[in-house]
């Protein structure tokens, strides 16, 4: 019996959300009184295995092979499925990223086991897992539990759980396992990857600066980009800004875009329609900059400035440069 | 090419929701619409089938209310709609959903591609999509932003993942989920709406599919409104924008969010 946490990697680097999952895995393992095992699949993953121990794992199961270099569902699910079948972990966790959702859903199906998907909270009661999920675009919360008795799979909403601070003195055993599928047996091929250049990933970002229709043009995003650069923030947008062609769809936040939960969300010229709220209402602190004092975004915000974003945003950037000692 | 689209009805995204005393969702008089993500799935199927002289079948799993989504897809131009439902399936979890959906796809027989929208806007669930692919044993690509090629028994796609765009390929038959932006969904035509209104939508049940489903392993124990954030906004005043900016930065530093 153990709690397994799948550590997602891209080009040898762990996704930050994996350490959040490992942090919550630690809490669940402690509550159940069983060890915490990190699963690291990839190519050249020694450093990752060590890092997983620093972030809280007792043990690491590492699979190091060229067939696992890039995430692909077939080899990853085959290997995870084999480990689950042979070792019968009580819980398998992963961050609810694009890949994590897919992998755990597949593995849970193969194991004929329940999956609690994209949960905001997770705890143990009487040996069974209880969780809550955001449904209806975050307008309702649903409490769910998995039937006890079998391996239970869970994916955790990105940024809803905290990673432990890494402790480089921690020691843990690393066990190596071989992949289950040879390259010839894997039908899917990854033919290329275009990494979004120089931009902070929206879902992982601690700060998001977002612009709406009022930004007015692609060039209108320039002051928002400057603010984002000073803060190390990701750029977000409303659907109206995306539809008008000011910025690409990758940046859309909301019901039909991405869901983000940063520490700080700065909404500039966004009215705050419920479909936009669906993507950002769980942000810790929301700042609204809007010239209409009646805009619904102010109902959600912690701080508001009623004014023209083209004046307020540059002033904010200048002030931050001063205060944070940049520029 | 025979393409299947999975869809469902969801309350209008602007609906004001309440929870009834017995723990169900009350959407007031808000209408049911096709799950907004699924419009892209239907459109993509129509485009791809149109290009290959193929057919589009839409499936929705669920009670009567899911008729709405099927009618919308028919009005957009889908060739055929079937609803999958059996009263014994109440409380179905994603594994049961996948088993039933996969059985229906197999029952159709000659399907090359199944397209889903990215997720269900109400249940916020995409698990059933991945598990349907697993139940069929087919290639799976999620978060597809573009189908690059669909020929000679293979599919090449561009996927939008956290770090950027991935180009991947695999054999058909396949299951994919598509993102907004992959196309511009058409509005149903007047004739389409009339045709859809008259269409008979058959219901396939457990017996028709030769299926008995596993007991659900996930139980929803409660439904509630999230804690309200309203009424907590502090409007930052000041004589100049510079003064407002300075005050705001002060507050954000105190909140430890910058
Ligand atoms: C099915 C469905 C799904 C949807 N999904 C999404 C989604 O995922 N994400 C999303 O965002 N929307 C989504 N929408 C659209 C949503 O309903 C709104 O239309 C959209 O969010 C509005 O964007 P906006 O706030 O930028 O524009 P507007 O509502 O036009 O707001 C612009 C705001 O800018 C303010 N303003 C104007 N000029 C200035 C200035 N100079 N300085 C400061 N403020 C100024 C105005 O006062 C106004 O409040 C969806 C809609 C539907 C029906
Ligand atoms: N009629 C339907 N059409 C499409 N998806 C459905 C339908 N009925 C149920 N589902 C999905 O199946 C899911 C079950 O998956 P899960 O929430 O992961 O247990 C539900 O949440 C829905 O998203």
């Amino acid at each position: 019996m153990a709690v397994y946490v799948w550590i997602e990697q891209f080009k040898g680097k762990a996704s930050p959300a994996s350490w959040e999952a490992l942090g919550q895995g630690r809490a669940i393992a402690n509550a159940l009184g069983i060890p915490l095992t990190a699963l690291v699949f990839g190519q050249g993953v020694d450093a990752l295995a060590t890092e997983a121990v620093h972030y809280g794992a007792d043990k690491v199961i590492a699979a190091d092979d060229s067939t696992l270099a890039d995430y692909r569902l077939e080899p990853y699910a085959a290997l995870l499925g084999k480990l689950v079948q042979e070792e019968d972990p009580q819980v398998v966790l992963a961050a609810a990223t694009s890949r994590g959702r897919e992998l755990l859903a597949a593995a849970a199906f193969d194991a004929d086991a329940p999956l609690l998907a994209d949960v905001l909270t997770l705890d143990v009661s009487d040996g069974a897992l209880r969780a809550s999920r955001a449904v209806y675009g975050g307008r309702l919360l649903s409490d769910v539990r998995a039937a006890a008795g079998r391996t239970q799979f869970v994916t955790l909403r990105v940024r809803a759980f905290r990673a432990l601070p890494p402790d480089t003195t921690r020691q843990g055993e690393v066990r190596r396992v071989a992949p289950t599928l040879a390259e010839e047996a894997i039908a899917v091929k990854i033919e290329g990857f275009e990494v979004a250049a120089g931009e902070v990933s929206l879902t992982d970002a601690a700060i998001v600066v977002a612009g709406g229709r009022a930004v007015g043009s692609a060039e209108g995003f320039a002051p928002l980009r400057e603010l984002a650069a000073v803060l190390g923030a990701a750029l977000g947008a409303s659907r109206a800004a995306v539809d008008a062609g000011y910025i690409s769809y990758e940046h859309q936040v909301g019901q039909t875009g991405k869901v983000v939960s940063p520490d700080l969300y700065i909404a500039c010229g966004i009215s705050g329609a419920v479909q936009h709220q669906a993507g950002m209402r769980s942000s810790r602190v929301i700042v609204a900059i809007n010239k209409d004092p009646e805009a619904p975004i102010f109902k959600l915000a912690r701080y508001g400035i009623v004014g023209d974003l083209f004046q307020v945003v540059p002033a904010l950037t200048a002030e931050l440069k001063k205060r944070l000692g940049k520029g | 090419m025979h393409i299947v689209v999975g869809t469902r009805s969801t309350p209008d995204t602007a609906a004001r929701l309440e929870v009834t005393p017995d723990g169900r969702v009350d959407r007031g008089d808000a209408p049911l619409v096709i799950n907004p993500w699924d419009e892209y799935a239907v459109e993509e199927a129509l485009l791809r089938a149109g290009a290959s002289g193929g057919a589009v079948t839409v499936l929705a799993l669920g009670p009567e209310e899911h008729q709405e989504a099927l009618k919308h897809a028919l009005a957009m131009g889908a060739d055929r709609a079937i609803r999958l439902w059996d009263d014994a399936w109440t409380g179905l979890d994603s594994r049961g959903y996948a088993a039933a959906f996969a059985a229906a796809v197999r029952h159709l027989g000659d399907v090359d591609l199944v397209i889903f929208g990215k997720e269900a806007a109400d249940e916020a669930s995409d698990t059933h999509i991945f598990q349907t692919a697993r139940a069929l044993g087919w290639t799976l690509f999620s978060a597809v932003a573009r189908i690059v090629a669909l020929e000679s028994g293979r599919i090449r796609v561009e996927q939008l993942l956290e770090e950027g765009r991935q180009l991947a390929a695999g054999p058909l038959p396949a299951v994919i989920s598509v993102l907004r932006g992959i196309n511009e969904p058409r509005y149903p035509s007047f004739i389409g709406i009339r045709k859809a209104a008259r269409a008979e939508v058959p219901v396939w049940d457990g017996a028709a599919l030769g299926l008995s489903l596993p007991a659900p392993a996930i139980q929803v124990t409660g439904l509630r409104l999230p804690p309200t954030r309203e009424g907590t906004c502090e409007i930052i005043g000041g004589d100049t924008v510079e003064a407002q900016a300075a005050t705001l930065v002060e507050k954000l530093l105190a909140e430890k969010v910058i």
Side-chain angles (χ1 to χ4, degrees), chain B:
Chain B
M1 172 153 307
H2 187 182
I3 303 178
V4 163
V5 177
T7 187
R8 64 185 269 111
S9 305
T10 57
D12 187 285
T13 47
R16 221 170 241 293
L17 303 174
E18 299 289 341
V19 178
T20 62
D22 62 339
R24 284 176 305 112
V25 180
D26 176 1
R27 62 170 205 278
D29 52 13
L32 284 171
V33 296
I34 184 171
N35 175 31
W37 291 98
D38 297 347
E39 289 182 55
Y40 306 98
V42 175
E43 179 66 32
E44 196 62 20
L46 293 173
L47 293 174
R48 297 293 159 177
S52 70
V56 175
T57 302
V58 269
L59 300 178
L61 189 156
E64 187 76 38
E65 64 191 48
H66 294 287
Q67 207 81 346
E68 193 54 47
L70 293 175
K71 293 265 167 167
H72 188 94
L74 285 172
M76 284 176 75
D79 300 289
R80 188 177 176 197
I82 302 160
R83 190 160 62 86
L84 313 175
W85 189 243
D86 194 314
D87 288 335
W89 296 350
T90 307
L92 210 63
D93 66 11
S94 57
R95 284 179 314 149
Y97 174 92
F101 199 91
V105 171
R106 276 196 216 97
H107 199 70
L108 287 168
D110 57 351
V111 178
D112 304 286
L113 180 64
V114 176
I115 309 183
F116 285 99
K118 178 179 173 283
E119 66 192 22
D122 53 353
E123 307 273 343
S125 168
D126 47 11
T127 303
H128 58 289
I129 300 168
F130 314 133
Q131 297 194 331
T132 296
R134 220 59 195 166
L136 289 164
W138 292 3
T139 308
L140 168 66
F141 292 117
S142 51
V144 170
R146 190 159 69 95
I147 297 180
V148 181
L150 188 61
E151 61 200 4
S152 327
R154 281 182 80 72
I155 179 168
R156 286 176 75 208
V157 297
E158 188 178 276
Q159 295 170 284
L160 208 52
L161 303 177
E162 277 77 0
E163 305 82 3
R165 287 171 186 266
Q166 173 168 287
L167 193 63
L172 293 175
V175 175
I176 66 172
S177 72
V178 298
L179 298 177
R180 182 174 123 75
I182 189 169
N183 55 41
E184 200 49 63
R186 68 194 71 184
Y187 289 103
S189 66
F190 180 66
I191 296 173
I193 294 170
R194 282 230 319 247
K195 244 175 78 184
R198 283 200 305 266
E200 277 294 323
V201 175
V203 178
W204 288 359
D205 61 8
L209 295 172
L211 195 70
S212 72
L213 292 179
I218 302 281
Q219 198 195 343
V220 177
T221 55
L223 202 58
R224 57 204 156 92
L225 296 170
T228 173
R229 303 182 74 132
E230 300 206 355
T232 56
C233 185
E234 181 180 337
I235 298 290
I236 311 278
D239 292 338
T240 60
V241 281
E242 287 74 23
Q244 287 174 305
T247 312
L248 178 59
V249 168
E250 205 60 56
K251 304 264 183 201
L252 297 179
L253 286 168
E255 295 260 13
K256 296 193 167 40
V257 290
I258 54 176

Side-chain angles (χ1 to χ4, degrees), chain A residues 3 15 17 30 65 73 88 94 105 142 152 207 227 290 317:
Chain A
V3 172
S15 80
N30 291 350
D65 193 78
L73 180 62
D88 203 21
S142 147
Q152 308 188 1
I207 306 179
L227 175 59
N290 195 303
T317 308

